[in-house]
Amino acid sequence: MRNKVLIGFIACLMILGALVPIQPAAVAAAIGKATVDADLLNVREKNSTASKKVGSLKRGQVVEVYANLTGGWSQINFNNKKAYVSTAYLRPVKATSTRIATVTVNVLNVREKASETSKKVGSLAHGTSVQVTVNLTNGWTEIIYNKKKAFVASAYLSFAAASSPATFKKNPAKIYQYKSMDGVHTYKSDGKKYNKTWIIWNGQGPKYRQTVVEQETKDGLLNGWPNSSYETTLKYPLKVGTTWVESYENGTTAQILSLTKSVKTPAGTFLNVVEVKNSEGKISYYAPNVGFVQELTNGKVTNQLIKISAK
């Protein structure tokens, strides 16, 4: 009788245990990325060849590496869980920091993985700018495509020189025309500076003239007025989620929502645009090597670039 009761109790515990979901262990922050350098690389539950095989990786796939262990094993992220592979078949990749590359071929295939046999997920036309996240060592480059990671052949990309990063200030050699709620405003600069660092821009609108100043430092893009206040419109380095005080005078804050927006205005279509939202709900867009291009308030366009031309 006692044996029957004990067996029944154990059976109940086993059923209850099966009903309780097992939460996977939290995955640590990655120390870097690596590309697989083997036709087929086994992924194991523990760092041992005798451990259970939980999957495999193909040549060219990119993995997040959490730790390089003694004994020739690396701990990686596999299907959002910790797993292990042989370090000998991994090649570290060099990460980039918000680099922009330009497509140099008529049509460049975009693939799901870093391989010519991988599934094609789209294509890019000649002259398209793309955001680069990783330069691999096997002739492939990881990019952002439709808000997801994808891969293209590095040979068909032209990279901007590291010494010439994208700027988000207006170009003093250009004339900018914006249309706001009260009409068209034209801004020109003769290259003169205010307090040696601020570029002076003279604006002419339908009702009044306005002089504004702008400067770009390693910490961000600043816009303001001579002998008055200024706002930090962009915070560097650019990173999605970054927040900062936009205006100490107004008490507003701002946050970067995206680095890869496509924005169309009467002046053209701008790619890899930075999207910023402030605490009052206003959304502003800044295009690389152009500057401010559009503003939305409550979902409606309240200011946008309609023409940019040489002097």
Side-chain angles (χ1 to χ4, degrees):
M1 180 67 178
R2 288 182 179 179
N3 289 340
K4 291 182 179 180
V5 172
L6 181 60
I7 292 172
F9 179 69
I10 293 173
C12 288
L13 288 178
M14 291 176 68
I15 293 172
L16 287 173
L19 293 175
V20 178
I22 300 174
Q23 299 294 331
V27 179
I31 61 170
K33 293 184 179 182
T35 183
V36 175
D37 189 20
D39 291 335
L40 199 66
L41 179 60
N42 290 328
V43 182
R44 300 191 180 275
E45 193 173 46
K46 298 180 181 179
N47 55 327
S48 168
T49 54
S51 178
K52 178 184 176 182
K53 178 183 172 183
V54 294
S56 60
L57 297 166
K58 294 181 180 180
R59 184 181 299 277
Q61 283 190 254
V62 178
V63 295
E64 291 182 317
V65 179
Y66 297 124
N68 291 319
L69 311 177
T70 57
W73 291 88
S74 290
Q75 185 187 80
I76 66 167
N77 178 6
F78 185 73
N79 294 335
N80 294 320
K81 294 180 181 179
K82 291 180 181 178
Y84 299 85
V85 295
S86 173
T87 307
Y89 300 106
L90 294 181
R91 297 291 177 265
V93 296
K94 183 179 179 181
T96 64
S97 179
T98 321
R99 285 191 68 187
I100 303 299
T102 305
V103 176
T104 60
V105 69
N106 289 336
V107 179
L108 178 59
N109 291 329
V110 182
R111 300 193 181 275
E112 191 175 48
K113 298 177 182 177
S115 169
E116 290 184 357
T117 59
S118 178
K119 179 183 176 182
K120 178 183 172 182
V121 295
S123 61
L124 297 167
H126 182 277
T128 302
S129 296
V130 294
Q131 182 187 353
V132 174
T133 52
V134 175
N135 287 330
L136 308 182
T137 57
N138 61 348
W140 290 85
T141 294
E142 182 184 275
I143 66 169
I144 299 298
Y145 183 75
N146 290 339
K147 299 182 180 180
K148 296 181 179 180
K149 294 179 181 178
F151 299 87
V152 295
S154 305
Y156 303 112
L157 293 178
S158 174
F159 293 87
S163 59
S164 302
T167 178
F168 289 88
K169 65 181 179 181
K170 294 189 292 294
N171 184 350
K174 304 288 185 179
I175 299 173
Y176 290 74
Q177 285 188 325
Y178 294 94
K179 185 176 181 180
S180 62
M181 300 300 290
D182 63 347
V184 176
H185 296 256
T186 301
Y187 287 89
K188 301 178 183 179
S189 175
D190 57 10
K192 292 183 179 179
K193 294 184 178 181
Y194 169 74
N195 278 354
K196 299 182 179 181
T197 57
W198 297 83
I199 300 293
I200 299 174
W201 287 86
N202 296 306
Q204 175 66 63
K207 299 179 181 179
Y208 57 88
R209 294 180 179 180
Q210 180 179 233
T211 298
V212 295
V213 293
E214 181 179 58
Q215 74 165 311
E216 189 174 40
T217 71
K218 64 180 181 63
D219 297 316
L221 180 66
L222 313 176
N223 285 272
W225 300 263
N227 301 312
S228 186
S229 60
Y230 70 89
E231 296 181 353
T232 303
T233 50
L234 284 179
K235 180 68 175 176
Y236 299 157
L238 296 174
K239 184 179 180 181
V240 173
T242 296
T243 59
W244 68 94
V245 176
E246 178 188 58
S247 170
Y248 286 98
E249 183 178 21
N250 299 328
T252 55
T253 59
Q255 182 180 40
I256 295 177
L257 301 183
S258 175
L259 302 176
T260 57
K261 280 289 183 180
S262 175
V263 176
K264 185 176 182 179
T265 79
T269 300
F270 303 94
L271 303 177
N272 298 302
V273 175
V274 179
E275 181 183 38
V276 176
K277 184 177 183 179
N278 76 359
S279 52
E280 294 180 339
K282 181 181 72 176
I283 298 178
S284 301
Y285 297 95
Y286 298 85
N289 303 314
V290 176
F292 170 71
V293 294
Q294 194 177 75
E295 174 187 280
L296 301 180
T297 304
N298 297 324
K300 295 183 178 180
V301 176
T302 50
N303 194 6
Q304 66 177 339
L305 182 66
I306 62 172
K307 185 178 181 180
I308 181 170
S309 58
K311 288 183 178 179

